């Protein structure tokens, strides 16, 4: 077991974690933040995408101990003062989700994408989200939602 | 008091979804998000061999491992076989499928033991300590090899892997118009024979499966939370397999992360978890790992197809004859034997033929079982006929669009036209969707561009493919299902109730998991009863809250469940009218109902339905003898399937040097009857088309000669990501179904049914000048390149 300190959605947590525990399970089961989902065991699907020190990462790809000292944002921390993040609102408005399982990861990846490239082309959006899989939408409306946020 | 303002119509509006706020903020609740105090974790030990006898299982080391509470084999955990609900005829071989196999493993992934521990990691660690004494046997995973003499036998008691055939002329309750034979013997006919292999697919709902079972020992009650499309059916099948009383078993489908048929199943793990909870008297949880799911969750499609067409020399299609050989995998799961039959009537597509024959043979192999995958049977039929139509066009030297136009069932045959295979199509507009599609494509301009590209000698050639498709969905009436030997019915149920605070509670027996019925059903109720969209609450997916229902599959949510809701609403209006007449002291006939108000004709005296709902609840002043409450339940069994249709076109650019394909355009014109929420309909088409394109270009699950799955993880199974797909171009026509009062049909499977032949036809069209007539699917660069080389030889 190892002691770590992480700040998640603005709240600092100290915890004892098993060395082999993946960050995603620490968030889900250790902190009860179940909005971040697990869709695979090969870092393929992006469902578990979060922001770690401002960068989007797949939280199944890191051990919890690697997040020691980090600032993390999960889907639960994206809205501010009860106001949806524009990306969340755009996903609803453009029907960028159906079953919703990939959605938290997709939204986290999309917000990170726009931070790096505020005015992406459709191609930029598609390539920017290539680490995130969705089985419901065919990506059509996800791309529309991200473009809508980029275009203000 | 008269109300002059009526609520704006809700049906047909692009209403934002009520489902979304939780899903976009992480407040959703999937099975893996559920924890119960004292809960134990289950890990399933699976066969690493495709075919191997079990000579012994030693659990002792696992039992001694940290945190382990129990471990079981099929010998020590008592359960009945899993339910198989579609024994298609007397020939159908349906060996008992035990949740934990006892004698031998029949596919890689076959569950043989389980470990129960106090945490996920302890369960998994201990599972590795289970010692199974295996005696590996030769395996067979190919359909044709499985039928050959001397093949390893999956179920030894039968002495063959032939699991039985279904022959339409013998087994179908609907008479075929004419046998196909004479048309194929007619020397004046042009005949073609095509053979296709449809690769095995893995559905890949983004949420892996999972089960949590809670126990109330003092009451003898169990709650099963399952990532399932079918909570009601699962309640019944679990009762049979696990021997718990059906009335004390509650099945909950919480938020479910996609299904596509993969969660339309009675799986071993649900039964295993319920049984362990029963034995230990403690809550348990099992969550599928993705790579585990690749072998443990049903696969789809795999079959060989042989389709023959007979046509006049000027392109009038006269007869279709089809034979299929379908892989069951190692077991008959809930409806495995009947899946190919779901396409049986559709192999002539939307073309008006005279002669028809169809048969299929089911084959056991040492693979994961197959079962319903989005479209189930109908994508297979559409693929065969739409590919074969292009082949016939080539044979006749005709344009594929012209050949289709010439053979469509014409509009004047509708409504209710009985096709050669014996079923009756409610309504359709085949030519209308195709002409719209052709217009969007700019067909003539495309052909000119294709020609000039070819003449320029470019290695990047263009092709277009069409798919003018139809389907039968709803998967009812129950009487027809009975004649097809399906054990359950095809009805669904809805309850509408006015609550005293003025809102309307809807209970629906369908179990949406992404399709958006909480929203679309609210729209229906808002319009029908004249209440606010926001005042309607739709509840589903919990057999304790909604005891009646048959769940979500086969594009039936709206065309069965939605119509049940409409019919319940009609009963509500009927009863409210009686209360209104009583309160307004007039005859019922003197009332007109609109926008939620019953108004005495020619006056401004009216009563609003919400107020009548309160009157019914308080029961202070009801007509003599009337039951209190404004609530109604309706169980709806459709008199026919519903028959959506459409025309899709795909444009590709193929690199003749590398075989790589660039998908340039995808156009979909669909007709699903009346559309409740166009935004939701379009979303269904997008997702279906994406899966259909992936089926044509990317996805396949193959096995090596020892029966190991070669695409057993998400890194090796080629799911399309955002860069692999284009944006889609959509339009529609609206041809209401005459079968139901809303004129609705269903759209959930449309894209998956339509897309694969449009894509492959486009690839073949691009290469047709090189002599290529077929490309295997998925059309990987390697397959395309090989097809080009073969044509050049």
């Amino acid at each position: 077991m190892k002691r770590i300190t992480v700040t998640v959605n603005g709240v600092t947590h100290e915890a004892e974690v098993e060395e082999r525990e993946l960050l995603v399970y620490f968030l889900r089961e250790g902190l009860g933040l179940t909005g971040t989902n697990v869709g695979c065991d090969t870092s393929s699907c992006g469902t578990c995408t979060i922001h770690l020190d401002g960068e989007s990462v797949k939280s199944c790809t890191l051990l919890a101990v690697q997040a020691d000292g980090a600032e993390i944002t999960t889907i639960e921390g994206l809205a501010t003062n009860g106001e949806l993040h524009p990306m969340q609102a755009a996903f609803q408005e453009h029907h960028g989700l159906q079953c919703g399982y990939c959605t938290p990861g997709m939204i986290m990846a999309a917000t990170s994408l726009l931070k790096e490239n505020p005015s992406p082309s459709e191609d930029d959006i598609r390539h920017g989200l290539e680490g995130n899989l969705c089985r419901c939408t065919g990506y059509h409306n996800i791309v529309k939602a991200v473009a809508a946020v980029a275009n203000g | 008091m008269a109300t002059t303002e009526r609520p704006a119509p809700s049906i047909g509006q692009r209403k934002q979804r009520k489902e979304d706020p939780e899903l976009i903020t992480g407040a959703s609740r999937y099975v893996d998000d559920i924890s119960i105090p004292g809960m134990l974790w289950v890990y399933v030990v699976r066969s690493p061999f495709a075919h191997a006898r079990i000579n012994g299982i030693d659990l002792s080391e696992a039992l001694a491992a940290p945190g382990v509470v129990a471990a079981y084999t099929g010998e020590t955990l008592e359960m009945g076989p899993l339910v198989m609900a579609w024994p298609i005829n007397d020939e159908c071989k349906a060996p008992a499928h035990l949740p934990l196999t006892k004698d031998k493993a029949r596919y890689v992934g076959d569950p043989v033991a389980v470990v129960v521990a106090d945490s996920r990691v302890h369960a998994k660690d201990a599972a590795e300590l289970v010692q199974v004494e295996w005696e590996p046997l030769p395996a067979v995973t190919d359909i044709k090899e499985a039928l050959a003499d001397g093949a390893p036998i999956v179920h030894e008691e039968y002495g063959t892997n032939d699991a039985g055939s279904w022959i339409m002329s013998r087994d179908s309750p609907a008479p075929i118009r004419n046998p196909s034979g004479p048309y194929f013997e007619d020397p004046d006919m042009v005949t073609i024979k095509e053979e296709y292999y449809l690769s095995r697919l893995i559905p890949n709902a983004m949420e892996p499966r999972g089960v949590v079972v809670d126990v109330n020992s003092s009451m003898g009650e169990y709650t099963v939370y399952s990532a399932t499309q079918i909570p009601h059916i699962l309640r019944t099948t679990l009762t049979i397999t696990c021997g718990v009383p059906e009335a004390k078993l509650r099945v909950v489908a919480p938020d479910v992360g996609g299904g596509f048929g993969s969660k339309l199943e009675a799986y071993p793990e649900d039964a295993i978890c319920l049984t362990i909870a029963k034995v230990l008297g403690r809550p348990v949880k099992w969550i599928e790992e993705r790579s585990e799911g690749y072998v443990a969750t049903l696969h789809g499609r795999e079959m060989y197809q042989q389709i023959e067409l007979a046509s006049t020399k000027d392109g009038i299609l006269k007869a279709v004859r089809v034979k299929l050989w379908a892989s069951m995998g190692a077991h008959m799961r809930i409806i495995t034997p009947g899946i190919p039959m779901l396409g049986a009537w559709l192999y002539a597509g939307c073309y008006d033929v005279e002669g028809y024959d169809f048969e299929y043979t089911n084959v056991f192999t040492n693979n994961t079982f197959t079962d319903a995958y989005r479209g189930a049977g109908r994508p297979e039929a559409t693929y065969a006929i739409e590919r074969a139509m292009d082949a016939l066009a080539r044979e006749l030297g005709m344009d594929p669009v012209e050949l289709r136009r010439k053979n469509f069932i014409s509009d004047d045959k509708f409504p209710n036209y009985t096709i050669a295979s014996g079923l009756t199509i409610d309504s359709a507009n085949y030519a209308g969707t195709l002409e719209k599609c052709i217009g969007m494509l700019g067909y003539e301009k495309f052909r000119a561009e294709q020609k000039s590209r070819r003449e320029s000698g470019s290695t990047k050639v263009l092709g277009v493919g069409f798919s003018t498709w139809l389907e039968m969905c709803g998967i009812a009436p129950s009487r027809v299902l009975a004649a097809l030997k399906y054990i359950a019915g095809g009805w669904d149920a809805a309850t509408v109730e006015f609550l005293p605070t003025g809102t309307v509670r809807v209970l629906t027996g369908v179990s949406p998991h992404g399709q958006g019925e909480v929203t679309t059903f609210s729209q229906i109720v808002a319009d029908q009863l004249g209440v606010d969209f926001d005042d309607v609450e739709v509840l589903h997916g919990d057999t304790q809250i909604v005891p009646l229902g048959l769940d979500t599959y086969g594009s039936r949510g709206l065309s069965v469940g939605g119509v049940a809701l409409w019919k319940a609403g009609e009963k509500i209006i009927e009863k409210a009218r009686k209360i209104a007449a009583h309160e307004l002291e007039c005859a019922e006939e003197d009332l007109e109902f609109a926008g939620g108000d019953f108004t005495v004709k020619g006056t401004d005296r009216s009563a609003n339905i919400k107020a009548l709902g309160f009157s019914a609840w308080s029961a202070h002043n009801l007509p003599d003898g009337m039951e209190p409450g404004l609530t109604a339940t309706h169980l709806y069994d459709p008199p026919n399937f519903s028959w959506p249709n459409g025309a899709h076109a795909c444009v590709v650019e193929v690199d003749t040097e590398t075989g790589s394909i660039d998908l340039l355009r995808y156009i979909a014109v669909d007709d699903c009857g009346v559309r409740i929420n166009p935004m939701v309909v379009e979303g269904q088409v997008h997702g279906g088309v994406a899966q259909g394109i992936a089926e044509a270009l990317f996805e396949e699950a193959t096995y090596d000669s020892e029966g190991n799955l070669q695409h057993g993880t998400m890194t090796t199974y080629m799911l399309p990501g955002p860069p692999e797909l284009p944006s889609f171009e959509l339009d529609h026509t609206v041809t209401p179904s005459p079968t139901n009062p809303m004129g609705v049909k269903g759209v959930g499977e449309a894209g998956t049914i339509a897309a694969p032949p449009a894509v492959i036809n486009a690839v073949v069209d691009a290469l047709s000048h090189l002599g290529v007539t077929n490309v295997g699917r998925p059309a990987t660069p390697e397959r395309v390149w090989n097809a080009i080389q073969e044509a050049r030889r």
Side-chain angles (χ1 to χ4, degrees):
Chain A
M1 300 293 275
K2 194 168 184 294
R3 190 153 197 86
I4 60 167
T5 306
V6 285
T7 303
V8 182
N9 302 330
V11 179
T12 302
H13 302 267
E14 282 191 37
E16 291 273 332
V17 297
E18 210 179 330
E19 284 83 347
R20 63 175 171 170
E21 182 164 15
L22 297 175
L23 178 56
V24 66
Y25 289 113
F26 172 69
L27 294 171
R28 288 179 50 82
E29 291 166 10
L31 302 182
L33 294 168
T34 53
T36 302
N37 295 322
V38 179
C40 73
D41 48 10
T42 47
S43 295
S44 309
C45 75
T47 296
C48 64
T49 304
I50 58 161
H51 295 171
L52 185 126
D53 292 333
E55 300 267 334
S56 70
V57 298
K58 295 178 177 180
S59 60
C60 75
T61 311
L62 287 169
L63 297 167
V65 293
Q66 290 176 284
D68 189 21
E71 291 242 7
I72 288 171
T73 307
T74 69
I75 189 71
E76 289 95 338
L78 204 56
T80 44
N81 303 324
E83 187 105 342
L84 291 178
H85 185 282
M87 191 64 75
Q88 291 172 308
F91 266 65
Q92 172 163 27
E93 187 183 342
H94 296 278
H95 192 31
L97 66 149
Q98 291 178 29
C99 81
Y101 199 77
C102 76
T103 308
M106 197 67 83
I107 288 175
M108 298 311 280
T111 53
S112 176
L113 163 68
L114 290 193
K115 210 170 127 194
E116 288 164 25
N117 179 0
S119 35
S121 64
E122 177 179 338
D123 210 40
D124 291 338
I125 295 171
R126 288 184 179 275
H127 282 93
L129 296 176
E130 69 183 344
N132 290 69
L133 299 176
C134 168
R135 196 59 159 167
C136 294
T137 65
Y139 307 105
H140 182 105
N141 285 340
I142 291 175
V143 173
K144 253 170 77 177
V146 178
V149 176
N151 298 327
Chain B
M1 191 183 68
T3 312
T4 49
E5 264 182 56
R6 286 180 187 163
S10 192
I11 291 177
Q13 302 292 308
R14 307 175 78 86
K15 288 276 187 191
Q16 290 197 11
R17 295 201 321 168
K18 292 182 172 184
E19 291 87 340
D20 291 351
E22 287 76 25
L23 300 174
I24 57 179
T25 56
S28 46
R29 189 169 183 247
Y30 299 95
V31 169
D32 196 12
D33 302 337
I34 295 169
S35 278
I36 292 165
M39 184 178 82
L40 300 171
W41 284 79
V42 172
Y43 199 90
V44 179
V45 179
R46 298 176 186 280
S47 172
F49 296 103
H51 200 191
R53 211 169 298 287
I54 299 166
N55 290 331
I57 300 177
D58 182 357
L59 300 173
S60 56
E61 252 188 275
L63 280 165
V68 171
V69 173
Y72 304 97
T73 67
E75 301 290 348
T76 57
L77 195 67
E78 203 178 317
M79 291 172 280
L82 298 165
V83 172
M84 200 284 279
W86 202 351
I88 53 174
N89 55 25
D90 293 342
E91 277 188 23
C92 180
K93 296 183 180 69
H97 181 188
L98 294 169
L100 287 170
T101 188
K102 294 180 185 177
D103 56 341
K104 64 175 187 175
R106 292 175 177 83
Y107 65 99
V108 170
D110 212 347
V112 296
V114 283
V115 175
V116 189
D118 60 356
S119 74
R120 181 154 37 88
V121 288
H122 281 155
K124 186 172 181 176
D125 286 349
E128 297 197 2
L129 302 174
V130 171
Q131 301 295 327
V132 183
E133 204 182 309
W134 293 107
E135 179 190 333
L137 302 167
V140 63
T141 58
D142 178 82
I143 296 169
K144 288 181 177 170
E145 286 172 17
L147 291 174
D149 286 342
I153 302 295
V154 181
H155 295 278
E156 283 149 13
E157 62 271 36
Y158 300 120
T160 172
N161 293 315
D162 181 335
S165 295
W166 188 88
I167 300 167
M168 181 172 271
S169 59
R170 182 189 73 185
D171 295 333
S172 172
I176 290 169
R177 190 182 300 162
N178 293 316
S180 64
Y183 298 90
F184 288 95
E185 283 150 28
D186 183 342
D188 289 334
M189 288 285 154
V190 176
T191 62
I192 61 160
K193 183 176 185 176
E194 292 280 297
E195 292 189 11
Y196 307 120
Y197 170 66
L198 276 56
S199 49
R200 181 175 267 265
L201 300 177
I202 300 179
N204 277 293
M206 290 310 299
E207 180 207 18
R209 288 188 298 120
V211 193
V212 171
V213 182
D214 196 7
V215 187
N216 181 337
S217 298
S218 66
M219 304 291 284
E221 290 172 351
Y222 301 92
T223 301
V224 175
Y225 301 90
S226 181
T228 181
Q229 298 171 226
I230 53 163
H232 297 91
I233 295 173
L234 193 57
R235 176 180 57 183
T236 305
T237 61
L238 282 174
T239 294
I240 295 167
T241 299
C242 303
V244 295
E246 191 167 8
K248 293 195 169 190
L249 178 59
R250 173 188 185 192
V251 179
V252 181
D255 285 328
V256 174
F260 317 110
S262 72
K263 293 169 182 169
L264 189 194
E265 192 57 274
Y267 279 108
E269 295 83 4
D270 297 78
I272 289 169
C273 287
L274 176 56
T275 307
I276 293 171
K278 191 172 98 172
V279 170
L280 296 180
R282 289 182 66 177
V284 298
K285 181 172 188 172
W286 170 78
I287 297 295
E288 182 182 74
E289 295 174 354
R290 176 62 64 181
S291 302
E292 179 183 24
Y294 271 76
V295 293
T297 290
L298 68 86
H299 294 177
R301 300 282 188 273
E302 186 183 3
M303 64 168 60
Y304 285 98
Q305 303 182 316
Q306 193 182 84
I307 180 166
E308 297 170 272
L309 305 185
S311 139
T312 63
K313 291 189 174 66
D314 55 353
I316 306 293
L317 186 61
K318 289 290 185 185
V320 175
R321 186 158 68 188
V322 174
K323 282 187 183 180
L324 312 175
W325 292 265
S327 171
M328 305 289 97
H331 288 287
M332 297 300 197
R333 270 301 59 253
I334 193 160
I335 52 171
T336 306
I339 295 299
M341 199 203 298
L342 289 169
W345 293 271
L346 308 184
Y347 279 81
C350 37
Y351 313 114
D352 203 359
V353 305
E354 295 171 5
Y356 195 84
D357 274 298
F358 170 89
E359 63 179 82
Y360 71 93
T361 298
N362 286 332
V363 183
F364 288 122
T365 54
N366 290 114
N367 311 74
T368 295
F369 44 84
T370 60
D371 212 329
Y373 173 50
R374 198 172 192 174
R378 291 149 293 161
E380 294 89 321
T382 304
Y383 187 75
I385 181 62
E386 289 304 294
R387 290 290 322 279
M389 284 300 275
D390 270 31
L392 179 62
R394 279 195 299 276
E395 180 75 20
L396 295 168
M398 275 180 81
D399 181 281
V401 169
E402 199 44 46
L403 181 67
R404 284 173 170 82
R405 282 184 181 132
K406 221 171 180 164
N407 286 288
F408 282 142
I409 303 168
S410 59
D411 289 355
D412 58 8
K413 299 276 175 67
F414 297 112
N416 299 325
Y417 178 62
T418 300
I419 53 177
S421 56
L423 292 187
T424 298
I425 298 180
D426 54 358
S427 64
N429 179 14
Y430 302 122
T433 53
L434 179 61
E435 295 316 319
K436 211 164 200 177
C437 180
I438 292 292
M440 289 165 75
L441 171 68
Y443 189 43
E444 284 177 20
K445 194 163 157 254
F446 171 82
R447 286 294 183 200
E449 204 184 327
Q450 180 185 44
K451 188 162 172 254
S452 76
R453 188 78 75 93
R454 283 178 181 177
E455 285 168 358
S456 75
S458 170
T459 55
K460 301 267 179 80
V461 293
L462 296 171
V464 66
F466 296 94
S467 170
T468 46
W469 65 276
L470 63 77
E471 63 163 319
M472 42 181 259
C473 64
I475 321 296
S478 301
R479 280 183 184 184
V480 175
L481 299 182
L484 301 175
K485 312 286 185 211
Y486 176 62
I487 290 171
W491 51 268
D492 219 296
T495 298
V496 178
E497 181 178 4
F498 276 77
L499 302 178
T501 50
T503 55
V504 181
R505 182 173 65 182
V506 170
L507 311 180
T508 175
V510 300
S511 192
H513 43 282
Q515 297 88 342
E517 275 102 344
V518 169
T519 304
T520 54
F521 283 15
S522 295
Q523 292 179 259
I524 291 170
V525 172
D527 268 18
Q528 188 188 22
L529 302 183
V531 296
D532 283 346
F533 170 76
D534 291 327
D535 281 343
V536 185
E537 290 286 353
V538 179
L539 307 181
H540 62 81
D542 181 334
T543 62
Q544 195 138 305
I545 294 170
V546 188
L548 287 166
L550 287 173
D551 311 317
T552 289
Y553 54 89
S555 303
R556 70 192 298 279
L558 178 59
S559 66
V560 188
V563 178
L565 173 60
W566 183 271
K567 298 251 177 195
E570 286 178 340
K571 290 179 179 172
I572 290 279
I573 294 169
E574 196 185 317
K575 182 166 184 183
R577 185 186 295 278
K578 288 186 185 355
I579 305 170
H582 179 70
E583 289 188 0
L584 297 167
E585 298 178 328
C586 66
E588 284 178 50
E589 308 78 69
D590 292 339
L591 289 171
E592 52 192 20
F593 179 63
D597 292 318
F598 290 93
T599 307
V600 183
K601 283 176 198 161
T603 75
D604 61 357
R605 295 172 59 232
S606 71
N608 186 268
I609 194 162
K610 275 191 181 182
L612 296 168
F614 186 83
S615 298
W617 177 78
S618 65
H620 293 174
N621 178 26
L622 292 177
D624 286 345
M626 179 180 275
E627 270 181 72
L630 188 53
T631 178
T633 295
H634 192 89
L635 280 76
Y636 175 67
D637 197 352
N640 190 4
F641 299 93
S642 70
W643 300 77
N645 72 280
H648 289 207
C650 176
V651 177
V652 296
E653 184 182 79
V654 183
D655 186 327
T656 55
E657 293 192 320
T658 64
S660 72
I661 294 166
D662 198 0
L663 208 159
L664 301 179
R665 294 179 73 189
Y666 195 95
I667 299 164
V669 180
D670 291 302
D671 192 329
C672 62
V674 171
R675 308 191 312 164
I676 306 299
N677 184 328
M679 180 189 81
V680 168
V681 170
E682 288 162 10
Q684 289 295 311
V685 174
H686 294 151
V689 164
Q691 274 174 304
I693 290 172
E695 180 170 340
L697 294 182
F698 309 123
E699 295 181 25
E700 64 178 328
T702 61
Y703 284 78
D704 68 17
S705 60
E706 293 181 341
N708 298 299
L709 180 58
Q710 291 170 306
H711 302 87
T713 71
M714 230 180 218
T715 55
T716 51
Y717 186 86
M718 192 31 214
L719 288 171
E724 277 78 54
L725 294 167
S727 282
F728 310 116
E729 302 167 53
L730 264 54
D731 206 341
H732 66 282
T733 60
V734 176
T735 307
S737 171
T739 304
N740 64 69
M742 283 193 290
V744 297
K745 291 190 173 179
V747 72
E749 296 157 301
T752 318
I753 291 169
V759 176
I760 301 290
N761 280 342
V763 175
V764 172
D765 181 62
L767 303 171
S768 58
H769 63 302
L770 304 175
V772 172
T773 58
N774 188 24
V775 175
R777 49 182 260 179
T780 56
E782 185 188 354
R783 285 205 176 95
V784 173
W785 190 85
N786 281 330
I788 295 168
Q789 305 316 311
E790 209 168 295
R792 280 179 174 155
R793 272 202 288 276

